[in-house]
């Protein structure tokens, strides 16, 4: 098999659907025993920032909505997760079953609050970071 350049790989990825990319990432994580992490989380946790975390918290404009529990109305929670994301039924169910998991990442404060309100209305427990 010929080795592909980074540009060739990016071209291949650009032709894939979001679902295909999601499945690829899962297989990649399994094969290489790694977990994809958001780059912003690494930047905040970098050592030597000396008080940078407090400043970052004050200026935070992107939030993650994390589902911490499905509650008693799991089917309703799955429906809300599907409304908030582009996930299919199977993927939404896996997300709800695998709590705690992020539902939305790097969204504005108002979008995070609306998502939290919707999920809590369906009976889920939610955390916004």
């Amino acid at each position: 098999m010929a080795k592909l350049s980074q540009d060739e790989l990016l071209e291949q990825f650009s032709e894939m659907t979001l679902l295909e990319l999601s499945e690829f990432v899962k297989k990649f994580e399994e094969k290489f025993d790694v977990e994809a992490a958001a780059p912003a989380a690494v930047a905040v946790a970098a050592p030597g920032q000396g008080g940078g975390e407090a400043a970052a918290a004050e200026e935070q404009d992107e939030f993650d909505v994390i589902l911490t529990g499905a509650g008693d109305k799991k089917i309703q929670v799955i429906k809300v997760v599907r409304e908030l994301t582009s996930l299919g039924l199977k993927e939404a169910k896996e997300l709800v079953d695998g709590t705690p998991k992020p539902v939305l990442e790097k969204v504005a404060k108002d979008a995070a609050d609306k998502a939290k309100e919707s999920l809590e209305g369906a009976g889920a427990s939610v955390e916004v970071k």
Side-chain angles (χ1 to χ4, degrees):
M1 184 170 119
K3 186 175 179 181
L4 298 175
S5 72
Q6 289 181 359
D7 291 334
E8 292 170 328
L9 282 171
L10 287 173
E11 182 62 33
Q12 291 295 315
F13 291 137
S14 69
E15 295 173 6
M16 298 173 81
T17 65
L18 288 177
L19 184 58
E20 290 170 332
L21 282 172
S22 174
E23 291 171 358
F24 170 78
V25 169
K26 287 177 187 174
K27 287 181 181 180
F28 185 90
E29 290 174 339
E30 290 171 6
K31 178 164 178 92
F32 296 104
D33 193 29
V34 295
E35 186 174 323
V42 175
V44 171
Q49 295 288 330
E53 292 178 2
E58 292 174 350
E59 298 174 14
Q60 185 175 1
D61 60 348
E62 293 180 336
F63 297 86
D64 295 340
V65 179
I66 301 170
L67 182 67
T68 57
D72 295 336
K73 300 177 183 176
K74 186 169 146 182
I75 294 172
Q76 295 300 322
V77 174
I78 293 171
K79 288 180 181 179
V80 172
V81 168
R82 288 193 67 205
E83 290 172 9
L84 295 172
T85 65
S86 61
L87 296 176
L89 180 59
K90 180 182 176 193
E91 291 82 8
K93 183 181 181 303
E94 288 173 356
L95 187 147
V96 171
D97 287 341
T99 56
K101 292 262 183 159
V103 176
L104 297 173
E105 295 178 319
K106 297 184 180 179
V107 295
K109 176 80 170 145
D110 59 332
D113 290 339
K114 287 180 184 177
K116 179 179 180 182
E117 184 178 308
S118 297
L119 287 164
E120 287 177 342
S125 53
V126 182
E127 191 176 293
V128 177
K129 289 187 176 183

